[in-house]
Amino acid sequence: RFKLVGASAVVNQLVRNGNFVNTSNWTAINSSLSVANNEATVTVTDTSLASEIRTVVTNRKGHKYFRSAEVKVRQGQFLFSWYGGLALTVNANGNYQTISNIFESLSNDSDNWRLQLGVKADNSPSEFFAKNIILVDLTAMFGTAIADYIYSLEQATAGSGIAYLRKYGFFTKDYY
């Protein structure tokens, strides 16, 4: 077992403007993007196509990452994904829901990921909302041994790696 005694999440926050101060660093695809009060509102412009906002982040193969987003969709299903990677989904309930997990990068170091938040064409929602987008390189933050341990907890039981981090006070507030 490891005991976490400190680290810098600010340095390792890989998403630029994940708190939506404005629309910089985000690209709207088949949608329009507006921002107010640190909340992104994404309005679907073509319901026949998937609609999303995306930003580019750099990854390192074999590193373990924590990702989290608060999202709200009133109908359909919301997707939080990496280009070529695992997608997290949340079903609409009209309220903000936090979606998060810990994962390992299997991409080549030279690849840039597209962090995508969006909806599929077949769900036809008119808009969705997002705030507090976080991506942290746990390997850079804690070192390989601790990051691998946290990842193993997450793999054994979904959510347990995140619970372990929160037990020691990490990711209990926004890191920007």
Side-chain angles (χ1 to χ4, degrees), residues 26 32 174:
W26 291 94
S32 64
D174 300 335

Side-chain angles (χ1 to χ4, degrees), residues 3-175:
K3 182 175 182 184
L4 302 180
V5 293
S8 173
V10 175
V11 171
N12 292 301
Q13 162 59 312
L14 301 177
V15 177
R16 296 186 190 280
N17 194 28
N19 59 343
F20 295 106
V21 171
N22 52 42
T23 60
S24 67
N25 298 306
W26 291 94
T27 302
I29 307 297
N30 302 318
S31 60
S32 64
L33 171 62
S34 62
V35 170
N37 301 317
N38 298 102
E39 175 184 77
T41 300
V42 182
T43 304
V44 175
T45 57
D46 186 344
T47 57
S48 68
L49 300 169
S51 300
E52 65 187 44
I53 57 172
R54 64 172 71 146
T55 190
V56 175
V57 293
T58 303
N59 79 101
R60 297 185 66 191
K61 186 175 183 174
H63 277 222
K64 309 309 187 282
Y65 292 86
F66 167 79
R67 67 174 163 175
S68 180
E70 292 177 56
V71 298
K72 177 171 61 173
V73 62
R74 293 190 176 110
Q75 66 186 57
Q77 190 177 63
F78 181 86
L79 303 172
F80 182 24
S81 64
W82 312 108
Y83 179 70
L86 174 69
L88 298 175
T89 60
V90 63
N91 291 315
N93 73 5
N95 299 310
Y96 268 103
Q97 300 175 68
T98 299
I99 52 177
S100 58
N101 78 331
I102 295 170
F103 67 98
E104 178 179 9
S105 170
L106 302 176
S107 299
N108 294 325
D109 289 352
S110 61
D111 293 343
N112 284 328
W113 290 338
R114 286 195 322 246
L115 169 62
Q116 302 169 181
L117 298 115
V119 292
K120 296 189 288 187
D122 56 350
N123 288 312
S124 301
S126 59
E127 63 187 0
F128 64 89
F129 308 88
K131 61 184 181 179
N132 300 325
I133 313 304
I134 297 172
L135 176 65
V136 174
D137 183 337
L138 296 175
T139 305
M141 186 173 179
F142 297 118
T144 301
I146 293 175
D148 287 352
Y149 176 71
I150 294 167
Y151 178 70
S152 72
L153 292 174
E154 188 75 9
Q155 291 302 109
T157 305
S160 61
I162 295 167
Y164 179 81
L165 288 168
R166 290 194 172 133
K167 174 181 174 183
Y168 291 100
F170 293 95
F171 310 120
T172 56
K173 61 180 182 174
D174 300 335
Y175 288 91

